[in-house]
Amino acid sequence: EIEFQRNQERYEFLHWGQQAFDNFRVVPPNVGIVHQVNLEYLAGCVFLRAAARGPVAVPDTLVGTDSHTPMIHGLGVVGWGVGGIEAEAVMLGQPFYMLTPEVIGMELTGELAPGATATDMVLTITELLRHEGVVGKFVEFFGDGVVGMKLADRATIANMSPEYGATMGFFPIDDQTLDYLRRTGRSRQQVELVERYTKEQGLFRNPGDAPPCFTKVLSLDLATIEPCLAGPKRPQDRVALSAMQSSFQEVLTAPISERGFALSEDVLDQQSTVDENGASYQIGHGAVVIAAITSCTNTSNPSVMVAAGLLARNAVERGLQVAPHVKTSLAPGSRVVTDYLDRAGLTKSLKQLGFHVVGYGCTSCIGNSGPIPPPVAEAVTSADLVASAVISGNRNFEGRVNALVKANYLASPPLVVAYALAGTVDLDLTSEPLGLDPEGNPVMLSELWPSGEEIDQIVESSMSAEMFVNQ
């Protein structure tokens, strides 16, 4: 009788889960980047499939034809990027074969210090894991720093698996996963299915659980992470914000073999005149000609997107404007981003600084920033300037963002806004003003940077599950 009752409960539970997945979810064009839409809308963590004896629950897995498919590891789903032929074979029911890889454990402890963002965290992790050498390996994150980490931050770390070289950057399913599923509008039945299945199968991570047995364990104290960028040519070349100016000046003369630009001393102060709409001004090496809030790595993370909006609001209130030679853009990873920025009242400020929504999808990371305005392009080419781009992306190889832009830096969305205001990477934003207000008073980045408490409050008040369901 007890066994019959358990089977009956199990059947009813699976039936509830089946109702959640009876229909395919159709995603129309121009909704967003597939990785972000998958995270926010498509992925289920656990699915049901028909079998001779009834529905069977199985872990959600996927293969995708894009290298940033691993973003879904933040949700505890196993998946990675493959070639088109392999993906088509899987769609036709064929298995995907691979050798069992080494699994590196990455222990995260502590928590981020005030002012540090999820972008700073992932750039630091990328530097560390590239140095370790994790190509072709799985990386699984654990430790007390993971327990309270928001799922959006986990997705940011998982997304950059290709940049640190791993096949996977995995976070197991836990209470944060269940909370995210609820917040993004997944049904009660689906969340219950995920919780019960993963707990019964030993796939659920509880605080205090002993870590699995890894090939090797690395550690990082999140409290040591500081604001940073990465560049000018590779995503693993992290540069502390405080060292940005000196680092840029060093790479100007560094040999090409050392990822520099090999300029001679006599052209370091080279200037070029931009003549545009009857006005003339000069730019030099380091001039930011593209500032783009872009890519699935960061636009999937409400905290850094709201931080960018708040910094823009604060800059507008101080009367600052973006430097005239900077081409700005905002490419959200899904329509949910514009929904919560609108609700938070931050869209207007972003637009006032030129960060208009240009579309929902991959842009600057794959060279889709569009052409640089001709007067600026002419100034760059005539003096052979080392122009710069600051983007919240994941790829910054020379020539990838734009053929005329040699120095490309990855940064958090709020730092993208900051460098658009400053107009150059050849300055120290920790000690020099990024601009002057209408009265001529210097404005420091620290004066505009929003507090963590304000960011969290805005995120909490401006988002709802309905946004994700109706996107």
Side-chain angles (χ1 to χ4, degrees):
E1 182 178 348
I2 293 175
E3 185 64 23
F4 173 81
Q5 184 175 349
R6 287 192 58 182
N7 286 339
Q8 182 68 18
E9 289 176 355
R10 195 170 286 128
Y11 170 78
E12 291 176 355
F13 173 65
L14 291 173
H15 180 65
W16 291 342
Q18 182 67 57
Q19 291 175 333
F21 302 111
D22 274 342
N23 299 311
F24 288 107
R25 292 189 167 191
V26 178
V27 179
N30 197 33
V31 167
I33 302 172
V34 63
H35 321 304
Q36 186 166 338
V37 175
N38 189 30
L39 181 78
E40 296 175 347
Y41 184 68
L42 293 174
C45 295
V46 176
F47 280 102
L48 296 174
R49 67 182 180 194
R53 299 179 62 182
V56 176
V58 294
D60 186 358
T61 59
L62 81 150
V63 291
T65 56
D66 187 280
S67 58
H68 290 96
T69 300
M71 181 177 187
I72 202 61
H73 300 155
L75 198 63
V77 175
V78 172
W80 50 82
V82 299
I85 294 176
E86 292 88 349
E88 290 173 3
V90 171
M91 291 176 67
L92 295 172
Q94 300 301 309
F96 176 79
Y97 295 99
M98 66 178 296
L99 297 175
T100 303
E102 296 181 24
V103 182
I104 307 298
M106 181 79 208
E107 182 182 23
L108 303 179
T109 60
E111 59 183 15
L112 292 175
T117 68
T119 313
D120 304 320
M121 177 168 57
V122 74
L123 294 180
T124 303
I125 290 172
T126 298
E127 178 189 44
L128 189 157
L129 290 177
R130 266 293 175 183
H131 183 266
E132 172 64 26
V134 294
V135 174
K137 301 176 183 180
F138 287 178
V139 175
E140 181 171 330
F141 296 89
F142 71 100
D144 62 74
V146 173
V147 173
M149 184 183 294
K150 298 173 183 176
L151 197 128
D153 292 354
R154 299 180 183 185
T156 296
I157 295 172
N159 180 277
M160 284 193 76
S161 295
E163 281 66 49
Y164 48 81
T167 304
M168 288 178 57
F170 187 75
F171 291 82
I173 292 172
D174 61 5
D175 287 328
Q176 289 285 343
T177 315
L178 301 179
D179 182 63
Y180 181 83
L181 292 174
R182 296 185 188 98
R183 287 174 174 269
T184 52
R186 270 70 165 202
S187 69
R188 176 182 63 84
Q189 293 92 338
Q190 183 177 348
V191 178
E192 187 178 353
L193 171 65
V194 173
E195 181 176 12
R196 288 189 59 180
Y197 176 83
T198 54
K199 285 183 175 179
E200 290 195 23
Q201 294 294 330
L203 301 175
F204 193 91
R205 176 70 57 82
N206 291 294
D209 282 353
C213 181
F214 296 114
T215 305
K216 184 177 182 178
V217 174
L218 307 173
S219 296
L220 174 65
D221 181 358
L222 299 181
T224 64
I225 293 172
E226 58 182 321
C228 59
L229 299 87
K233 298 184 179 183
R234 302 190 306 179
Q236 65 264 38
D237 295 334
R238 186 183 66 87
V239 183
L241 179 63
S242 58
M244 185 62 185
Q245 183 177 33
S246 59
S247 173
F248 176 73
Q249 292 175 351
E250 288 173 6
V251 299
L252 284 177
T253 57
I256 300 295
S257 60
E258 297 178 12
R259 292 174 293 282
F261 299 103
L263 298 186
S264 58
E265 295 287 342
D266 61 318
V267 299
L268 293 183
D269 295 326
Q270 181 77 39
Q271 295 281 310
S272 186
T273 301
V274 180
D275 293 310
E276 188 173 18
N277 298 326
S280 295
Y281 54 91
Q282 290 194 316
I283 59 174
H285 297 301
V288 176
V289 296
I290 292 177
I293 300 176
T294 178
S295 107
C296 46
T297 302
N298 287 289
T299 64
S300 62
N301 194 314
S303 293
V304 293
M305 296 300 289
V306 166
L310 289 172
L311 194 144
R313 181 202 66 186
N314 296 342
V316 169
E317 289 176 352
R318 290 294 301 272
L320 298 185
Q321 296 180 344
V322 167
H325 55 274
V326 182
K327 180 176 184 178
T328 52
S329 62
L330 169 60
S334 80
R335 293 181 180 273
V336 171
V337 178
T338 48
D339 287 345
Y340 65 69
L341 288 176
D342 286 346
R343 183 176 291 185
L346 300 175
T347 302
K348 181 180 179 181
S349 297
L350 286 165
K351 286 183 176 180
Q352 285 179 274
L353 296 183
F355 288 95
H356 296 266
V357 173
V358 296
Y360 299 90
C362 300
T363 53
S364 300
C365 291
I366 56 172
N368 284 347
S369 293
I372 296 172
V376 179
E378 172 62 25
V380 171
T381 55
S382 65
D384 196 22
L385 295 179
V386 178
S388 299
V390 180
I391 66 173
S392 65
N394 42 50
R395 299 287 170 84
N396 59 335
F397 313 119
E398 186 173 356
R400 183 182 177 102
V401 175
N402 187 285
L404 299 181
V405 181
K406 297 180 180 180
N408 301 286
Y409 289 93
L410 308 181
S412 65
L415 280 182
V416 171
V417 176
Y419 275 101
L421 293 166
T424 180
V425 297
D426 191 10
L427 85 168
D428 182 358
L429 285 183
T430 64
S431 61
E432 298 179 72
L434 51 74
L436 303 176
D437 66 17
E439 286 73 43
N441 300 311
V443 180
M444 306 297 293
L445 176 61
S446 58
E447 299 176 55
L448 305 181
W449 198 271
S451 68
E453 293 75 15
E454 184 179 18
I455 294 170
D456 290 342
Q457 188 274 321
I458 294 293
V459 171
E460 187 68 27
S461 63
S462 62
M463 299 184 69
S464 67
E466 290 73 22
M467 289 180 177
F468 297 90
V469 175
N470 298 323
Q471 69 173 310

